[in-house]
Amino acid sequence: MIAATMSGHEQVVPHVMPTGSTDLAKFTQLVRDRSPFTFVRFSDGEIEVLRNRKLVISGGVTEFRGKRFSNKFPEFDQKRFDPRLGQDVRRDLLASALFEDPAYFKGIPSRHNNALGDREFMLRLNGGFSSQMTFSDLFLNENFIQARSEFFTLATSCFDHLLVVGNWRCELKGHLSKGNLVQIPDNFFRDLSTNS
């Protein structure tokens, strides 16, 4: 980011790296203010689709980043993206990755999920960090307790209508029990073009 100074010379202003606690506090304040916002999570699978690379998680076999290995993922984690057939999925995901709006936040891979290359890919795609960038695991892992005790508690008490987008097997419990589930099938890549 470059800012003009009073003398007319340009000064480079470094962007502050996002942190889980700071961004959770920011989103919690948006909920308090009843300001709508969108958080879209781009993790390793989405980055593979954006890079137009084959992705398969199926029947004990995974094809990921050009390598093939065995897995023990449950049935609901099975998915397949074939670049020869899935350009409609990639087009929509790319539009989402490039979209800009002050209330639209993109969660990108962080360093502790071993995806620096994926993070750099998203940063290059978006022209670097901005205040609308955060990390894809914002509500998970080390941030989960804070998210559950602060953000989700407040969000579920501030709004009368909650829509939760999740796998069709998802059971809404606790704070989310009053929400309505928008059901997503197991292999959404395959079903996207038929549901559009």
Side-chain angles (χ1 to χ4, degrees):
M1 174 181 286
I2 297 176
T5 62
M6 296 196 43
S7 64
H9 293 85
E10 292 181 346
Q11 174 184 2
V12 175
V13 179
H15 177 75
V16 176
M17 287 287 286
T19 66
S21 58
T22 302
D23 285 348
L24 280 172
K26 175 171 56 177
F27 288 171
T28 301
Q29 188 59 50
L30 288 170
V31 170
R32 269 195 195 94
D33 296 341
R34 296 183 186 258
S35 298
F37 70 91
T38 300
F39 170 74
V40 180
R41 185 176 186 271
F42 294 89
S43 197
D44 51 3
E46 289 82 11
I47 304 300
E48 285 299 284
V49 173
L50 288 170
R51 290 180 186 260
N52 208 31
R53 295 196 295 214
K54 186 176 183 182
L55 171 65
V56 176
I57 301 174
S58 158
V61 176
T62 296
E63 292 183 47
F64 181 69
R65 295 186 178 154
K67 297 178 181 172
R68 186 179 174 101
F69 47 91
S70 63
N71 71 46
K72 292 183 181 181
F73 290 116
E75 182 182 346
F76 59 80
D77 271 339
Q78 295 186 21
K79 57 189 68 75
R80 174 182 294 272
F81 172 74
D82 185 336
R84 296 170 298 159
L85 306 172
Q87 289 305 304
D88 52 344
V89 172
R90 184 172 180 265
R91 180 195 64 236
D92 291 348
L93 191 60
L94 187 57
S96 181
L98 293 172
F99 183 75
E100 292 182 16
D101 185 88
Y104 185 80
F105 297 92
K106 300 172 195 179
I108 64 172
S110 62
R111 67 178 170 267
H112 50 273
N113 63 6
N114 236 357
L116 286 177
D118 290 346
R119 181 177 74 183
E120 296 307 312
F121 173 82
M122 281 297 289
L123 291 176
R124 284 191 308 276
L125 198 60
N126 284 276
F129 267 114
S130 73
S131 58
Q132 274 62 48
M133 291 277 191
T134 185
F135 292 120
S136 58
D137 58 357
L138 180 64
F139 296 100
L140 307 170
N141 302 331
E142 68 187 44
N143 304 321
F144 178 70
I145 299 298
Q146 181 183 354
R148 185 179 64 184
S149 62
E150 295 174 21
F151 177 81
F152 290 114
T153 303
L154 183 64
T156 55
S157 66
C158 284
F159 297 103
D160 294 329
H161 303 288
L162 296 174
L163 294 177
V164 179
V165 179
N167 183 273
W168 65 273
R169 294 176 183 84
C170 191
E171 294 180 28
L172 301 183
K173 297 179 179 179
H175 298 302
L176 299 178
S177 60
K178 72 176 192 174
N180 294 311
L181 180 64
V182 177
Q183 296 183 349
I184 301 298
D186 290 341
N187 187 0
F188 189 67
F189 293 157
R190 180 192 65 218
D191 296 334
L192 178 67
S193 57
T194 59
N195 290 332
S196 298

